[in-house]
Amino acid sequence: VQLQASGGGLVQAEGSLRLSCAASGRTFSSYGMGWFRQAPGKEREFVATIAWNGGTTYYADSVKGRFTISRDNAKNTVSLQMNSLKREDTAVYYCAARTGRYIATRTHDYEYWGQGTLVTVSS
């Protein structure tokens, strides 16, 4: 499966952005999906994950209550709605897919990765 993330950009603190990830392949609906991010000089970290049918989601504590992950299996897309953005949310955001159907929070649980989209939050 190939993943293409989009929607990043420059936003002021407390603003919102919506990231999207388009996936190729007919088996998208069977994949668990996740969003990760990597800030300059830091390791890639988990942000959010969603199960194959959208029935289960899980978030990093740092984004809980502000970010929402969703998916549309008919359109082969997964989205990340980001509200109340903070400067510390600045990072390159990656979408990822795993052949396991359920949620996962570790990078090595995911076999496929998109190219990343940069989110910059200014004060």
Coordinates of all heavy atoms in Angstrom, one line a residue, residues 41-101:
G41 N 15.3 17.0 15.8 CA 16.1 16.5 16.9 C 15.5 15.5 17.8 O 16.1 15.2 18.8
K42 N 14.3 15.1 17.5 CA 13.6 14.2 18.4 C 13.2 12.9 17.7 O 13.2 12.9 16.4 CB 12.3 14.8 19.0 CG 12.6 16.0 19.9 CD 11.4 16.5 20.6 CE 11.7 17.6 21.6 NZ 10.4 18.0 22.3
E43 N 12.9 11.9 18.4 CA 12.5 10.6 17.8 C 11.0 10.7 17.3 O 10.3 11.5 17.8 CB 12.7 9.5 18.8 CG 14.1 9.2 19.2 CD 14.2 7.9 20.0 OE1 13.2 7.4 20.5 OE2 15.3 7.5 20.3
R44 N 10.7 9.9 16.4 CA 9.3 9.8 16.0 C 8.5 9.3 17.1 O 8.8 8.3 17.8 CB 9.2 8.9 14.8 CG 7.9 9.0 14.0 CD 8.0 8.2 12.7 NE 9.0 8.8 11.8 CZ 9.2 8.5 10.5 NH1 8.4 7.5 10.0 NH2 10.1 9.0 9.8
E45 N 7.3 9.9 17.3 CA 6.4 9.6 18.4 C 5.0 9.3 17.9 O 4.6 9.9 16.9 CB 6.4 10.6 19.5 CG 5.9 12.0 19.1 CD 5.8 12.9 20.2 OE1 6.2 12.6 21.3 OE2 5.2 14.0 20.0
F46 N 4.3 8.5 18.6 CA 3.0 8.1 18.4 C 2.0 9.3 18.6 O 2.2 10.0 19.6 CB 2.6 7.0 19.2 CG 1.1 6.7 19.3 CD1 0.4 6.2 18.2 CD2 0.4 7.1 20.4 CE1 -1.0 5.9 18.3 CE2 -1.0 6.8 20.5 CZ -1.7 6.3 19.5
V47 N 1.0 9.5 17.8 CA 0.0 10.5 18.0 C -1.4 9.9 18.1 O -2.0 10.2 19.1 CB 0.0 11.5 16.8 CG1 -1.1 12.5 16.9 CG2 1.3 12.2 16.6
A48 N -1.8 9.1 17.2 CA -3.2 8.6 17.2 C -3.2 7.3 16.3 O -2.4 7.2 15.4 CB -4.2 9.6 16.7
T49 N -4.2 6.5 16.6 CA -4.4 5.3 15.9 C -5.8 4.9 15.8 O -6.6 5.3 16.7 CB -3.6 4.1 16.5 OG1 -3.8 2.9 15.7 CG2 -4.0 3.8 17.9
I50 N -6.2 4.2 14.7 CA -7.6 3.8 14.5 C -7.7 2.4 14.0 O -6.9 2.1 13.1 CB -8.3 4.9 13.6 CG1 -9.8 4.6 13.5 CG2 -7.7 4.9 12.2 CD1 -10.6 5.8 12.9
A51 N -8.6 1.7 14.4 CA -8.8 0.3 13.9 C -9.4 0.3 12.5 O -9.9 1.3 12.0 CB -9.7 -0.5 14.9
W52 N -9.4 -0.9 12.0 CA -9.8 -1.1 10.6 C -11.2 -0.6 10.3 O -11.4 -0.1 9.2 CB -9.7 -2.6 10.2 CG -10.7 -3.4 11.0 CD1 -10.6 -3.8 12.3 CD2 -11.9 -3.9 10.5 NE1 -11.7 -4.6 12.6 CE2 -12.5 -4.7 11.5 CE3 -12.6 -3.9 9.2 CZ2 -13.8 -5.3 11.4 CZ3 -13.8 -4.5 9.1 CH2 -14.4 -5.2 10.2
N53 N -12.1 -0.7 11.2 CA -13.5 -0.3 11.0 C -13.8 1.1 11.7 O -15.0 1.5 11.7 CB -14.4 -1.3 11.5 CG -14.3 -1.6 13.0 OD1 -13.4 -1.0 13.6 ND2 -15.1 -2.4 13.5
G54 N -12.8 1.7 12.2 CA -13.1 3.0 12.9 C -13.7 2.9 14.2 O -13.9 3.9 14.9
G55 N -13.9 1.6 14.7 CA -14.6 1.4 15.9 C -13.8 1.7 17.2 O -14.3 1.9 18.3
T56 N -12.5 1.7 17.0 CA -11.6 1.9 18.2 C -10.5 2.9 17.8 O -9.9 2.8 16.7 CB -10.9 0.6 18.6 OG1 -11.8 -0.4 18.9 CG2 -10.0 0.8 19.9
T57 N -10.3 3.9 18.7 CA -9.3 4.9 18.5 C -8.5 5.0 19.8 O -9.0 4.6 20.9 CB -9.8 6.3 18.1 OG1 -10.7 6.7 19.1 CG2 -10.6 6.2 16.8
Y58 N -7.3 5.5 19.6 CA -6.4 5.7 20.8 C -5.5 6.9 20.5 O -5.0 7.0 19.4 CB -5.7 4.5 21.2 CG -4.9 4.5 22.4 CD1 -5.5 4.4 23.7 CD2 -3.5 4.7 22.4 CE1 -4.8 4.5 24.9 CE2 -2.8 4.8 23.6 CZ -3.4 4.7 24.8 OH -2.7 4.8 26.0
Y59 N -5.2 7.7 21.6 CA -4.4 8.9 21.4 C -3.3 9.0 22.4 O -3.4 8.5 23.5 CB -5.3 10.1 21.6 CG -6.5 10.2 20.6 CD1 -7.7 9.6 20.8 CD2 -6.3 10.9 19.4 CE1 -8.7 9.7 19.9 CE2 -7.3 10.9 18.4 CZ -8.5 10.3 18.7 OH -9.6 10.4 17.8
A60 N -2.3 9.7 22.0 CA -1.2 10.0 22.9 C -1.8 11.0 23.9 O -2.7 11.9 23.6 CB 0.0 10.7 22.2
D61 N -1.3 11.0 25.2 CA -1.8 11.9 26.2 C -1.7 13.4 25.8 O -2.5 14.2 26.1 CB -1.1 11.6 27.5 CG -1.6 10.4 28.2 OD1 -2.6 9.8 27.8 OD2 -0.8 9.9 29.0
S62 N -0.6 13.6 25.1 CA -0.3 15.0 24.7 C -1.3 15.6 23.7 O -1.4 16.9 23.6 CB 1.1 15.1 24.1 OG 1.2 14.3 23.0
V63 N -2.1 14.8 23.0 CA -3.0 15.3 22.1 C -4.5 15.0 22.4 O -5.4 15.4 21.7 CB -2.7 14.8 20.6 CG1 -1.3 15.1 20.3 CG2 -3.0 13.3 20.5
K64 N -4.7 14.2 23.4 CA -6.0 13.7 23.8 C -6.9 14.9 24.1 O -6.5 15.8 24.8 CB -5.9 12.8 25.0 CG -7.1 11.9 25.2 CD -6.9 10.9 26.3 CE -5.7 10.0 26.0 NZ -5.5 9.0 27.0
G65 N -8.1 14.9 23.5 CA -9.0 16.0 23.7 C -8.9 17.2 22.6 O -9.7 18.0 22.5
R66 N -7.7 17.1 21.9 CA -7.5 18.2 20.9 C -7.5 17.6 19.5 O -7.9 18.3 18.6 CB -6.2 18.9 21.2 CG -6.1 19.5 22.5 CD -4.8 20.3 22.7 NE -3.6 19.5 22.6 CZ -2.6 19.7 21.7 NH1 -2.7 20.7 20.8 NH2 -1.5 18.9 21.7
F67 N -7.0 16.4 19.3 CA -6.9 15.8 18.0 C -8.0 14.7 17.9 O -8.3 14.0 18.9 CB -5.5 15.1 17.8 CG -4.4 16.1 17.7 CD1 -4.6 17.5 18.0 CD2 -3.2 15.7 17.3 CE1 -3.5 18.4 17.8 CE2 -2.1 16.5 17.1 CZ -2.2 17.9 17.4
T68 N -8.4 14.5 16.6 CA -9.4 13.4 16.4 C -9.0 12.7 15.1 O -8.8 13.3 14.1 CB -10.8 14.0 16.2 OG1 -11.2 14.7 17.4 CG2 -11.8 12.8 15.9
I69 N -8.8 11.4 15.2 CA -8.5 10.6 14.0 C -9.8 9.9 13.5 O -10.7 9.5 14.3 CB -7.5 9.5 14.4 CG1 -7.0 8.8 13.1 CG2 -8.0 8.5 15.4 CD1 -5.8 7.8 13.4
S70 N -9.9 9.9 12.2 CA -11.1 9.3 11.6 C -10.7 8.6 10.3 O -9.6 8.9 9.8 CB -12.2 10.3 11.3 OG -11.7 11.3 10.5
R71 N -11.5 7.8 9.7 CA -11.2 7.2 8.4 C -12.5 7.0 7.6 O -13.6 6.9 8.2 CB -10.5 5.8 8.7 CG -11.4 4.8 9.3 CD -10.6 3.5 9.6 NE -10.0 2.9 8.4 CZ -9.0 2.1 8.5 NH1 -8.4 1.8 9.6 NH2 -8.5 1.5 7.3
D72 N -12.3 7.0 6.3 CA -13.4 6.7 5.4 C -12.9 5.6 4.5 O -12.1 5.8 3.5 CB -13.7 8.0 4.6 CG -14.9 7.9 3.7 OD1 -15.2 6.7 3.3 OD2 -15.4 8.9 3.3
N73 N -13.4 4.4 4.7 CA -12.9 3.3 4.0 C -13.4 3.3 2.5 O -12.8 2.7 1.6 CB -13.3 2.0 4.7 CG -12.5 1.7 5.9 OD1 -11.4 2.3 6.1 ND2 -13.0 0.8 6.8
A74 N -14.5 4.0 2.3 CA -15.0 4.1 0.9 C -14.1 4.9 0.0 O -14.0 4.7 -1.2 CB -16.4 4.6 0.9
K75 N -13.4 5.9 0.7 CA -12.5 6.8 0.0 C -11.0 6.5 0.2 O -10.2 7.2 -0.3 CB -12.8 8.2 0.4 CG -14.2 8.7 0.0 CD -14.4 10.2 0.4 CE -15.8 10.6 0.0 NZ -16.0 12.1 0.4
N76 N -10.7 5.4 1.0 CA -9.3 5.1 1.3 C -8.6 6.2 1.9 O -7.4 6.5 1.5 CB -8.6 4.6 0.0 CG -8.9 3.1 -0.4 OD1 -9.9 2.6 0.1 ND2 -8.2 2.5 -1.2
T77 N -9.2 6.9 2.9 CA -8.5 8.0 3.5 C -8.6 7.9 5.0 O -9.5 7.3 5.6 CB -9.1 9.3 3.1 OG1 -10.5 9.3 3.4 CG2 -8.9 9.6 1.6
V78 N -7.6 8.4 5.7 CA -7.6 8.6 7.1 C -7.2 10.0 7.4 O -6.4 10.6 6.7 CB -6.6 7.6 7.8 CG1 -5.2 7.8 7.4 CG2 -6.7 7.7 9.3
S79 N -7.9 10.6 8.4 CA -7.7 12.0 8.6 C -7.3 12.3 10.1 O -7.6 11.4 11.0 CB -8.9 12.8 8.3 OG -9.3 12.7 7.0
L80 N -6.7 13.4 10.3 CA -6.4 13.8 11.7 C -6.8 15.3 11.8 O -6.1 16.2 11.2 CB -4.9 13.7 12.0 CG -4.4 14.0 13.4 CD1 -5.0 12.9 14.3 CD2 -2.9 14.1 13.5
Q81 N -7.8 15.5 12.6 CA -8.3 16.9 12.8 C -7.6 17.4 14.1 O -7.6 16.7 15.1 CB -9.8 16.9 13.1 CG -10.3 18.3 13.5 CD -10.2 19.3 12.3 OE1 -10.5 18.9 11.2 NE2 -9.8 20.5 12.7
M82 N -6.9 18.5 13.9 CA -6.0 19.0 15.0 C -6.6 20.4 15.4 O -6.6 21.3 14.6 CB -4.6 19.1 14.6 CG -4.0 17.8 14.0 SD -2.2 17.9 13.7 CE -2.2 19.1 12.3
N83 N -7.0 20.5 16.6 CA -7.6 21.7 17.2 C -6.7 22.2 18.3 O -5.9 21.4 18.9 CB -9.0 21.5 17.6 CG -9.9 21.1 16.5 OD1 -9.7 21.5 15.4 ND2 -10.9 20.3 16.9
S84 N -6.9 23.4 18.7 CA -6.1 24.0 19.8 C -4.6 23.7 19.7 O -4.0 23.3 20.7 CB -6.7 23.5 21.1 OG -8.1 23.8 21.2
L85 N -4.1 24.0 18.6 CA -2.7 23.6 18.3 C -1.7 24.4 19.2 O -2.0 25.6 19.5 CB -2.3 23.8 16.9 CG -2.9 22.7 16.0 CD1 -2.9 23.1 14.5 CD2 -2.0 21.4 16.1
K86 N -0.7 23.8 19.6 CA 0.4 24.4 20.4 C 1.7 24.4 19.7 O 1.9 23.6 18.8 CB 0.5 23.6 21.7 CG -0.8 23.4 22.5 CD -0.6 22.5 23.7 CE -1.9 22.3 24.5 NZ -1.6 21.4 25.7
R87 N 2.6 25.2 20.2 CA 3.9 25.3 19.5 C 4.6 23.9 19.5 O 5.3 23.5 18.6 CB 4.8 26.3 20.2 CG 4.4 27.7 19.9 CD 5.5 28.7 20.3 NE 6.7 28.5 19.5 CZ 7.8 29.2 19.8 NH1 7.9 30.0 20.8 NH2 8.9 29.0 19.0
E88 N 4.4 23.2 20.6 CA 5.0 21.9 20.7 C 4.4 20.8 19.8 O 4.9 19.7 19.7 CB 5.0 21.4 22.2 CG 3.6 21.4 22.8 CD 3.4 22.7 23.6 OE1 3.8 23.8 23.2 OE2 2.8 22.5 24.7
D89 N 3.4 21.2 19.1 CA 2.8 20.3 18.1 C 3.6 20.4 16.7 O 3.3 19.6 15.8 CB 1.3 20.5 17.8 CG 0.5 20.2 19.0 OD1 0.7 19.2 19.7 OD2 -0.4 21.0 19.3
T90 N 4.5 21.3 16.7 CA 5.3 21.5 15.4 C 6.1 20.3 15.2 O 6.9 19.8 16.0 CB 6.2 22.7 15.6 OG1 5.4 23.9 15.7 CG2 7.1 22.8 14.4
A91 N 5.9 19.7 14.0 CA 6.6 18.4 13.6 C 6.3 18.1 12.2 O 5.4 18.6 11.6 CB 6.2 17.3 14.6
V92 N 7.0 17.1 11.7 CA 6.6 16.4 10.5 C 5.6 15.3 10.9 O 6.0 14.5 11.7 CB 7.8 15.9 9.7 CG1 7.3 15.1 8.4 CG2 8.7 17.0 9.2
Y93 N 4.5 15.3 10.3 CA 3.4 14.2 10.6 C 3.4 13.2 9.6 O 3.4 13.5 8.4 CB 2.1 14.9 10.8 CG 1.9 15.6 12.1 CD1 2.6 16.8 12.3 CD2 1.1 15.1 13.1 CE1 2.5 17.5 13.5 CE2 1.0 15.8 14.3 CZ 1.7 17.0 14.5 OH 1.6 17.7 15.7
Y94 N 3.4 11.9 10.0 CA 3.4 10.8 9.1 C 2.2 9.9 9.4 O 1.8 9.7 10.5 CB 4.6 9.9 9.4 CG 6.0 10.6 9.1 CD1 6.6 11.3 10.2 CD2 6.6 10.5 7.9 CE1 7.8 11.9 9.9 CE2 7.8 11.1 7.7 CZ 8.4 11.8 8.7 OH 9.6 12.4 8.5
C95 N 1.6 9.5 8.3 CA 0.6 8.4 8.4 C 1.2 7.1 8.2 O 2.2 7.0 7.4 CB -0.6 8.7 7.5 SG -0.3 8.6 5.7
A96 N 0.7 6.1 8.8 CA 1.2 4.7 8.7 C 0.1 3.7 8.6 O -1.0 3.9 9.2 CB 2.2 4.5 9.8
A97 N 0.4 2.6 8.0 CA -0.6 1.5 7.9 C 0.0 0.2 8.4 O 1.2 0.0 8.2 CB -1.0 1.4 6.4
R98 N -0.8 -0.6 9.0 CA -0.4 -1.9 9.4 C -1.4 -3.0 9.0 O -2.6 -2.7 8.9 CB -0.2 -1.9 11.0 CG -1.5 -1.7 11.7 CD -1.2 -1.5 13.2 NE -0.5 -2.6 13.8 CZ -1.1 -3.6 14.4 NH1 -2.5 -3.6 14.5 NH2 -0.5 -4.6 14.9
T99 N -0.8 -4.1 8.6 CA -1.7 -5.2 8.1 C -2.5 -5.8 9.3 O -3.6 -6.4 9.0 CB -0.9 -6.3 7.5 OG1 0.2 -6.7 8.3 CG2 -0.2 -5.8 6.2
G100 N -2.1 -5.6 10.5 CA -3.0 -6.0 11.6 C -4.2 -5.0 11.6 O -4.0 -3.8 11.4
R101 N -5.3 -5.5 12.0 CA -6.5 -4.7 11.9 C -6.7 -3.7 13.0 O -7.4 -2.7 12.9 CB -7.8 -5.6 11.8 CG -7.9 -6.4 10.6 CD -9.2 -7.1 10.6 NE -9.4 -7.7 9.3 CZ -10.6 -7.8 8.7 NH1 -11.7 -7.3 9.3 NH2 -10.7 -8.3 7.5

